[in-house]
Amino acid sequence: MADYDSDDEKSQLDKLRYAKVPRGMHVSGWDDDADELIEEDRNPQASIERMILWAVNENKLGEVREILQLDAEAVSAIDDDGYTPLHRACYNNFIDIAKLLLQYKANPNAKTNLGWTPLHSACKWSNAECASLLLQYGADVNAQSEGKQTPLHVTATISNCRNTATLLLMDRNINAQALNNSEETAEQIALRTGLTGPVFEMGHPAYDIETGLID
């Protein structure tokens, strides 16, 4: 934690740390094939890192800003499963908080213990606005989790993923033919489990167009 030079800064920090913070629920413990597990932080005011994780999850933009102004390094806080404040903002689609965190140099490619990036988290809930923001800040559109699931694979498991899938497929760096550890492409998953298979067909090799100079 950063050193504080003034009594005023110390008092602000103490005020945040010892405030009566209600119990917060946060999502953690995701893996590639399971739904989220819910873990309760019974004492989020115990540290500045736990406070920012709680504040992000509760969509408290003002509190997040105050914490970052006191200790900018809190932007890199992680929970026991490796989820950062940016992961939480993106799976909740809290776009204003995500913007603030990125302005404070949050890592758009931070990985959880299972290899999930904030983009995976945004795609899990088809949060296209946050996914777009992350890509603008350099998120790896082809990042792989431990199960070799890309954000596009995750999106393919969601029935209402049309906007998010289209966004990813339009990214010039997308590898739509990437295989997960089950040797499946996102398109194959979408055709089997979702209602948006035609969207994923945009990533089929048959639609690839090579351009060049015409003599």
Side-chain angles (χ1 to χ4, degrees), residues 118-184:
L119 188 56
H120 284 90
S121 294
C123 290
K124 171 71 175 180
W125 304 110
S126 198
N127 294 331
E129 192 173 9
C130 273
S132 176
L133 177 68
L134 290 166
L135 291 172
Q136 292 174 49
Y137 274 83
D140 181 1
V141 70
N142 298 309
Q144 291 186 324
S145 69
E146 282 191 356
K148 298 181 69 176
Q149 306 277 29
T150 67
L152 191 62
H153 281 103
V154 173
T155 301
T157 67
I158 310 302
S159 62
N160 61 339
C161 66
R162 186 178 298 272
N163 290 343
T164 309
T166 302
L167 172 73
L168 297 179
L169 287 165
M170 291 180 65
D171 189 283
R172 64 180 181 178
N173 297 313
I174 190 71
N175 176 12
Q177 300 308 306
L179 300 176
N180 63 13
N181 62 352
S182 297
E183 299 296 311
E184 287 186 305

Side-chain angles (χ1 to χ4, degrees), residues 66-78:
E66 288 183 46
I67 292 169
L68 291 172
Q69 287 172 346
L70 289 168
D71 187 354
E73 293 183 5
V75 77
S76 299
I78 58 172

Side-chain angles (χ1 to χ4, degrees), residues 17 23-24 26 28 34 47 65 77 101 132 183-184 192 195 206:
R17 179 176 293 163
R23 291 182 179 181
H26 64 79
S28 66
S47 71
R65 182 178 287 111
L101 294 168
S132 176
E183 299 296 311
E184 287 186 305
R192 186 182 72 249
L195 303 176

Side-chain angles (χ1 to χ4, degrees), residues 11-27:
S11 65
Q12 289 183 62
L13 181 60
D14 288 340
K15 181 179 179 181
L16 281 169
R17 179 176 293 163
Y18 297 112
K20 293 183 178 179
V21 183
R23 291 182 179 181
M25 300 296 290
H26 64 79
V27 181

